[in-house]
Amino acid sequence: MECYNGVEKPMAIKQTFTGELDATLLDKARAMASAQGREVVLLVEEALAQYVDKDSPDGPRAHVMAEYESSIAEYGRLYERLAK
């Protein structure tokens, strides 16, 4: 299992991708990945997944719903009182 935004998901089948990026952007991505102790490819994969999920017609993302449900569990009574 791998973790994406706090939600575990099964390991995906990986495919090689070759492309070109702006040199400055890639340098910043490398520095960010290094500071986080991660590989730059994982940072790029996470960013691409977030971009794709943003406009997904499949409904709310799992991590968003998990946070919503957690919030309702913790503050549901307060939300009900505030709604009155």
Side-chain angles (χ1 to χ4, degrees):
M1 294 290 251
E2 63 183 16
C3 191
Y4 168 66
N5 284 334
V7 177
E8 287 191 1
K9 64 178 186 173
M11 293 294 284
I13 296 172
K14 303 292 183 176
Q15 184 171 357
T16 300
F17 168 79
T18 303
E20 294 181 8
L21 295 173
D22 175 81
T24 302
L25 178 61
L26 184 55
D27 286 343
K28 289 179 180 180
R30 285 180 174 140
M32 180 182 275
S34 178
Q36 295 174 6
R38 301 168 63 194
E39 293 180 30
V40 72
V41 69
L42 296 176
L43 189 137
V44 171
E45 183 176 29
E46 183 178 302
L48 182 58
Q50 288 177 6
Y51 182 79
V52 170
D53 286 350
K54 178 181 71 162
D55 294 323
S56 174
D58 298 332
R61 297 180 301 260
H63 73 279
V64 173
M65 289 307 298
E67 290 298 323
Y68 168 76
E69 290 169 2
S70 173
S71 176
I72 292 296
E74 188 171 349
Y75 301 109
R77 299 176 106 196
L78 173 62
Y79 295 155
E80 289 174 12
R81 289 196 317 241
L82 290 172
K84 291 182 182 179

